């Protein structure tokens, strides 16, 4: 039996290396892990900071097409695991019948959900205005601390910022949202995960997204982590989230 492929999809303001610990852990559990990053993204965060240019004009449609190609290139249907914007992309692909299962962690809400989106929440944040320059939007350190790493200490928040945070292409924050087929009864199982102290994509937003799947008979579950913020995939509590996902996959993905 071939190992089940897992595709890890990161969101805005983070580099693909934010999945490094997850990739190692899933590999140890027998999965074949792919962390492809965005099209044009440098393989290391140091290189990405030196050369952000290839991402300047990245649009939502291009990003979706990129991950669709990655998922379709797998020898067997992949498990799609995404965080924030990556969680929304994972839902979009699964709803289109691509992949055998998906996990959306603190996912950006789909188009049509009447909740404030990530860009509006960023712009309204009093703890530091977004900084736009040359086609990119940077997240100031204080803003990251308030919106993303609000449930960890100051020292850990600073280390996470230095290790993983990048400016985001402006178009990804201003393009129209991503629609998701929430009624597809033929899709694979879906797990939505929220941190109940998340200030970027609030627990209420994720619960509202979960309710959109209410008319589908396909398996859909919601897991809420108490006292966790938007950094729940990269901070010191990441193992709890990753291990829950691994257990869920063992119960819901055939042949594993």
């Amino acid at each position: 039996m071939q190992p089940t492929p897992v595709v890890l999809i990161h969101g805005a303001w983070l580099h693909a290396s934010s999945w490094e610990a997850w990739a190692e852990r899933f590999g140890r559990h027998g999965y074949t892990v792919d962390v492809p990053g965005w099209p044009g993204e440098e393989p290391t965060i140091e290189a990405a900071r030196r050369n952000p240019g290839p991402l300047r004009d990245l649009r939502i449609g291009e990003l979706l097409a990129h991950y669709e190609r990655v998922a379709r290139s797998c020898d067997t249907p992949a498990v799609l695991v995404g965080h924030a914007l990556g969680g929304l992309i994972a839902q979009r692909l699964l709803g289109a019948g691509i992949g055998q299962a998906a996990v959306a962690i603190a996912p950006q809400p789909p188009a049509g959900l009447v909740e404030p989106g990530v860009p509006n929440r960023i712009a309204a944040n009093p703890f530091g205005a977004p900084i736009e320059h040359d086609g990119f939007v940077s997240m100031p350190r204080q803003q990251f601390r308030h919106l993303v790493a609000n449930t960890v200490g100051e020292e850990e928040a600073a280390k996470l910022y230095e290790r993983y945070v990048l400016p985001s292409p402006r178009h990804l924050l201003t393009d129209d949202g991503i629609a998701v087929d929430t009624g597809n009864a033929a899709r694979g199982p879906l797990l939505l995960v929220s941190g109940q102290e998340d200030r970027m994509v609030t627990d209420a937003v994720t619960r509202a997204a979960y309710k959109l799947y209410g008319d589908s008979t396909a398996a859909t579950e919601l897991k809420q982590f108490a006292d966790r913020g938007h950094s729940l995939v990269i901070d010191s509590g990441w193992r709890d989230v990753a291990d829950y996902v691994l257990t869920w996959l063992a119960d819901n993905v055939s042949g594993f």
Side-chain angles (χ1 to χ4, degrees):
M1 182 179 295
Q2 288 184 320
T4 300
V6 173
V7 177
L8 301 175
I9 310 171
H10 72 85
W13 290 291
L14 292 180
H15 185 261
S17 60
S18 59
W19 286 118
E20 57 190 356
W22 285 65
E24 181 181 0
R25 199 166 192 83
F26 274 59
R28 288 183 178 178
H29 280 76
Y31 291 94
T32 300
V33 184
D34 188 7
V35 192
W38 290 354
E41 182 176 82
E42 296 283 359
T44 67
I45 193 165
E46 293 81 10
R49 286 170 175 158
R50 289 194 303 267
N51 182 34
L55 296 178
R56 181 177 292 105
D57 297 319
L58 185 63
R59 311 296 295 246
I60 287 289
E62 183 183 356
L63 194 59
L64 284 171
H66 169 69
Y67 281 109
E68 180 175 344
R69 287 192 296 271
V70 170
R72 290 189 183 279
S73 71
C74 296
D75 293 335
T76 59
V79 171
L80 310 169
V81 180
H83 174 240
L85 177 57
L88 179 55
I89 291 172
Q91 291 177 77
R92 166 64 175 257
L93 295 177
L94 187 69
I98 300 168
Q100 63 172 302
V103 179
I105 304 170
Q108 187 171 319
L113 182 60
V114 185
E115 290 285 348
V118 171
N120 291 336
R121 194 175 300 281
I122 287 292
N125 174 39
F127 288 84
I131 300 171
E132 293 195 38
H133 176 71
D134 197 25
F136 290 91
V137 179
S138 297
M139 180 182 290
R141 185 184 301 270
Q142 192 176 19
Q143 191 177 54
F144 176 82
R145 168 66 171 147
H146 176 69
L147 287 179
V148 178
N150 55 296
T151 60
V152 301
E154 291 282 356
E155 183 177 355
E156 182 177 356
K159 288 181 179 179
L160 293 174
Y161 188 88
E162 291 299 327
R163 188 167 187 175
Y164 298 124
V165 176
L166 288 170
S168 179
R170 181 177 61 83
H171 290 304
L172 292 186
L173 307 178
T174 58
D175 279 351
D176 292 337
I178 299 174
V180 173
D181 183 357
T182 58
N184 182 0
R187 64 162 170 82
L190 169 66
L191 173 65
L192 296 169
V193 177
S194 72
Q196 292 187 308
E197 299 301 322
D198 194 331
R199 293 173 176 170
M200 177 76 86
V201 180
T202 65
D203 176 63
V205 168
T206 304
R207 284 188 282 111
Y210 171 69
K211 290 178 182 178
L212 293 177
Y213 290 94
D215 293 333
S216 173
T217 56
T220 310
E221 296 183 34
L222 171 67
K223 170 60 178 178
Q224 298 162 282
F225 282 88
D227 303 320
R228 301 304 303 280
H230 199 65
S231 64
L232 75 173
V233 298
I234 57 173
D235 63 32
S236 54
W238 70 269
R239 290 179 186 82
D240 293 338
V241 183
D243 286 348
Y244 185 92
V245 171
L246 285 165
T247 299
W248 183 86
L249 289 174
D251 292 339
N252 287 276
V253 174
S254 61
F256 211 88

